[in-house]
Amino acid sequence: WRFKNNPTGIIAIKLIWDQDLLVGHYAVSPLKMMINGQTKLTALSMTTMTHPEYAGKGIFTKLASSLDEVLHNDYNINAVWGFPNNNSHYMYVNKLGWTDLSVVHSLHLNANKFKESNTVSIDRFYEFTNMHVDKLEKISSNSKVKVQKDLDYLKWRYVDNPVADYLKFDVKTPNETGFVIIKKFISITEIGSIELNIMELGIEDASLVSEILYKIKEYLKDDIILNANIWISLWERRHSLLEKAGFVPFGKQTFLGIKCFEDSPEILDFRNWHYSYGDSDVY
C-alpha cells in the first residue's frame, strides 16, 4: 500500500546485500506538495533497517546518499523530509545534510473536557468528495508548504490503508460544514481506555472541536475515551482556537527535518508549513 500503490506511481527503495544476505534497507514515500503555489514532488523519509551485525559500518548513510541521487536525478524530486526519531535524528542532521525545521508538539484534550452541544452534529462517511478536498484547501490557503491532498491522495491515505481503520465524520456546526478524521488507539497511559488522534481537522472554527469530540464519544459509546490529540502549527490561527477549547501541549515531541535538492527558501521556513498527524507515516 505505502510503496507499490503510492499515488505518484514512484517506488523508491534501496537495498544493500552482502552476497545473499540483506544487510540494509531504506525507503521513502514520494508525495506531491504545494510549495508557494506550485505542485512539486517531494519524498517522505520512511523505513530504515540495518542488519545488527553490520551496525556502525555506514550502511544507512550509503543507502540514503544513493537513494537521494536517484530521487533528484531520475524523478526530479525536490526534497526529502520527515519526522526522524531520537535514534535517527543525529544521523540525518550530521551525516546526511538534513536541516532541522522545528520540534513538533502535540496538543491534548482530556475527555472530561469534551463539551456537550445541541448545535453540532456528525455523520459518518466512507468515501471522499470534492467538499473534503475543498475544505482542506480553504483551511490551508495561507500556508505556502503543504501536502497536496486531492481525492486520489485522501482515498489512498484514509480508505485504502490496509492496516488502519480511520473513522471519518462529516460535521455540521451553526456556521459551517466540514469534517474530521479520527484514529482510535489503545492507550498505554490507562489500561482499557482509548485515545483519539485527530488525523485531519476539516473545520475552520476549531473552538468547537471539544463539542465535535463529545459527539464522537457518544458515537463510540462502547469505548472508554481517555483523551484526544492533534498536531497543529503554532503559527496557524486554529492553534489558539484549540487552546480556547482546552487543548494543552503534552507528551513526546517530534523532530521535523528536510534535505532540499534545490533552493527553496519557503520550504525551509517552518512558519510556512501546514501539517497534521496524517502527514506522518507513524499514525
Side-chain angles (χ1 to χ4, degrees):
W1 163 78
R2 171 63 73 169
F3 302 111
K4 186 178 180 182
N5 298 332
N6 186 293
T8 66
I10 299 171
I11 298 176
I13 301 171
K14 277 283 184 179
L15 308 174
I16 287 185
W17 297 83
D18 185 354
Q19 298 184 37
D20 293 333
L21 182 65
L22 179 60
V23 300
H25 158 103
Y26 178 50
V28 301
S29 180
L31 289 168
K32 293 179 183 178
M33 292 188 76
M34 294 297 295
I35 302 174
N36 206 23
Q38 296 184 341
T39 300
K40 300 283 188 180
L41 271 178
T42 69
L44 177 66
S45 182
M46 289 284 303
T47 47
T48 65
M49 289 175 273
T50 300
H51 192 292
E53 294 180 8
Y54 289 75
K57 298 182 182 296
I59 296 291
F60 175 57
T61 302
K62 293 174 184 176
L63 282 169
S65 298
S66 177
L67 187 55
D68 284 350
E69 289 185 16
V70 172
L71 296 175
H72 183 49
N73 296 331
D74 295 354
Y75 297 116
N76 196 32
I77 284 177
N78 286 255
V80 180
W81 57 281
F83 305 94
N85 58 31
N86 289 329
N87 294 326
S88 59
H89 176 249
Y90 175 87
M91 186 178 303
Y92 276 101
V93 174
N94 292 280
K95 301 289 186 181
L96 300 179
W98 278 45
T99 298
D100 277 324
L101 296 180
S102 183
V103 175
V104 178
H105 68 274
S106 291
L107 293 178
H108 157 96
L109 181 67
N110 194 279
N112 61 21
K113 294 186 177 180
F114 294 179
K115 185 178 179 181
E116 188 171 2
S117 172
N118 295 320
T119 61
V120 170
S121 64
I122 63 170
D123 184 29
R124 191 169 179 184
F125 72 92
Y126 297 90
E127 299 293 334
F128 288 97
T129 68
N130 287 325
M131 183 279 285
H132 304 107
V133 175
D134 294 343
K135 193 67 178 183
L136 287 179
E137 178 57 34
K138 183 178 181 181
I139 286 170
S140 64
S141 60
N142 292 328
S143 301
K144 295 181 179 179
V145 181
K146 55 194 173 184
V147 174
Q148 184 172 305
K149 297 177 180 177
D150 54 20
L151 277 175
D152 286 342
Y153 172 89
L154 291 174
K155 179 180 182 297
W156 168 77
R157 181 67 179 84
Y158 296 115
V159 178
D160 297 341
N161 190 320
V163 296
D165 182 18
Y166 297 103
L167 300 171
K168 300 174 283 291
F169 296 97
D170 285 327
V171 176
K172 288 187 178 180
T173 76
N175 298 315
E176 66 175 312
T177 298
F179 72 102
V180 63
I181 302 175
I182 299 290
K183 182 179 182 180
K184 297 195 308 179
F185 67 99
I186 298 173
S187 176
I188 61 173
T189 304
E190 190 170 306
I191 303 300
S193 63
I194 299 294
E195 297 189 39
L196 307 178
N197 278 341
I198 302 173
M199 305 297 295
E200 302 288 350
L201 183 61
I203 290 291
E204 294 172 72
D205 186 1
S207 66
L208 297 177
V209 170
S210 63
E211 299 176 36
I212 296 168
L213 289 168
Y214 188 92
K215 293 295 184 181
I216 294 173
K217 182 180 177 181
E218 286 185 323
Y219 179 88
L220 299 172
K221 57 182 180 297
D222 294 331
D223 293 318
I224 301 173
I225 308 299
L226 181 63
N227 55 44
N229 315 305
I230 190 172
W231 269 356
I232 193 166
S233 172
L234 178 62
W235 287 274
E236 187 181 334
R237 180 186 67 90
R238 296 186 303 169
H239 192 287
S240 61
L241 294 177
L242 287 170
E243 293 176 43
K244 181 180 178 182
F247 280 82
V248 294
F250 89 108
K252 292 192 298 184
Q253 297 172 325
T254 303
F255 300 104
L256 173 60
I258 193 166
K259 182 176 182 178
C260 294
F261 303 132
E262 299 177 2
D263 288 338
S264 181
E266 293 86 6
I267 205 171
L268 292 175
D269 189 340
F270 181 63
R271 293 170 296 180
N272 292 328
W273 281 69
H274 182 278
Y275 57 87
S276 67
Y277 276 143
D279 296 330
S280 168
D281 62 303
V282 174
Y283 300 101

